[in-house]
Amino acid sequence: MSTDYSRQEMMAIATGREIRDGELAIFGVGLSMLAGYFAQAHHAPGVRAMTEGGVYGARPVGGLPWGIECNRLAVNAVSFTSALDALGCLVASGRCDVGIIGAAQVDRFGNVNTTGIWDGPIGTRYRPPKTRLTGAGGANDIACGAKRYLIMVSHEAKRFVDRVSYVTSPGFLDGGDTREQAGFVGGGPSAIITTLGVLRPDPQTHEFQLDAYFAFSGVDEILANTGWDLKVAADARVVPEPSPEELAVLRRVDETGMLRR
């Protein structure tokens, strides 16, 4: 098997493999679009894709879109609605099968922070962060309403923390049944796909554990880059490397190669 692929490409392909044919899916900007539209082009042609801005049923032309309403989506979309329809209706009502979001930080229960980085705990009153991040966008809506969602994130200790200081997009909150008690329509994150491997939640505690690792990584590297005592599944295994066909399709979807740099 060729090793001529990047960690981001492996992450995108592993994420795309999670998408099933026929699903109603919502993709964020960037790598999540690469993973989603790779799935559509490779093994899930019946995916009904939409963006946070309400562009529905598009197949990107001329490379990946730069945003949720880019003309590369507009040229062959089935319909144009709005963010209110996409997020407030389809996602919030629980009709969306799967979403893909990114993360600046993620914790052991799959809670995502894309709001800011603070020095020490925030406390009971919000205060401005040391570093301001991109914000929620539609990720909070997806995390609350999609039947399941996938998190894509670079695997670094500074990103994988025991507890995020700010929950921008909820995962399983404090674990156990705390998400269910909060009353969210959606089922929560089903996987965290990283540049090193794949984490999945324990069915009971909902704490994420290492399910699989990539051929170029390993358990020790992943543990060293995780900021909590990450448990390793008894049957943790190596993720199959990308096939030549998968790589060809992925690179055809991303004609400009912007996201592979």
Side-chain angles (χ1 to χ4, degrees):
M1 186 69 66
S2 171
T3 58
D4 186 22
Y5 57 89
S6 71
R7 293 188 172 202
Q8 282 194 326
E9 286 180 315
M10 183 70 245
M11 177 169 64
I13 287 173
T15 304
R17 289 171 178 170
E18 301 280 326
I19 306 296
R20 304 160 193 157
D21 197 21
E23 288 189 307
L24 177 60
I26 184 165
F27 310 140
V29 178
L31 283 173
S32 63
M33 278 190 173
L34 178 57
Y37 287 117
F38 156 74
Q40 186 187 65
H42 181 257
H43 61 270
V47 161
R48 295 166 292 149
M50 62 176 170
T51 72
E52 298 167 16
V55 180
Y56 172 78
R59 292 176 180 268
V61 174
L64 280 178
W66 54 261
I68 58 176
E69 295 177 342
C70 176
N71 285 342
R72 287 171 176 164
L73 288 168
V75 293
N76 60 4
V78 172
S79 66
F80 298 87
T81 56
S82 66
L84 180 61
D85 287 331
L87 299 173
C89 179
L90 290 175
V91 176
S93 65
R95 290 181 174 88
C96 181
D97 295 306
V98 62
I100 307 176
I101 68 172
Q105 284 186 329
V106 63
D107 66 24
R108 66 170 66 219
F109 295 118
N111 301 300
V112 167
N113 173 22
T114 54
T115 297
I117 304 297
W118 282 262
D119 286 324
I122 298 178
T124 57
R125 295 185 63 186
Y126 181 87
R127 57 186 173 83
K130 175 184 69 173
T131 303
R132 178 77 64 181
L133 302 175
T134 57
N140 177 272
D141 304 81
I142 294 169
C144 292
K147 292 177 184 176
R148 77 180 196 284
Y149 69 93
L150 308 166
I151 301 168
M152 298 178 73
V153 58
S154 179
H155 208 131
E156 305 168 62
K158 67 179 181 180
R159 297 181 183 274
F160 280 74
V161 296
D162 184 68
R163 181 69 176 176
V164 293
S165 53
Y166 189 95
V167 179
T168 309
S169 303
F172 292 106
L173 300 179
D174 296 316
D177 64 353
T178 53
R179 180 183 171 93
E180 184 180 354
Q181 290 178 17
F184 294 122
V185 173
S190 60
I192 302 173
I193 300 96
T194 83
T195 47
L196 297 178
V198 180
L199 283 64
R200 298 189 193 276
D202 178 271
Q204 303 303 321
T205 67
H206 290 120
E207 180 177 332
F208 275 81
Q209 59 185 8
L210 180 62
D211 179 70
Y213 49 92
F214 299 147
F216 51 75
S217 66
V219 174
D220 290 343
E221 183 180 5
I222 290 171
L223 294 180
N225 284 280
T226 303
W228 71 84
D229 185 15
L230 179 66
K231 297 178 177 64
V232 180
D235 58 348
R237 64 202 183 283
V238 178
V239 177
E241 290 188 81
S243 68
E245 180 189 4
E246 284 178 316
L247 283 171
V249 170
L250 182 77
R251 291 166 181 174
R252 191 161 60 244
V253 169
D254 185 20
E255 289 182 27
T256 60
M258 291 299 294
L259 295 177
R260 290 188 275 110
R261 293 175 185 165

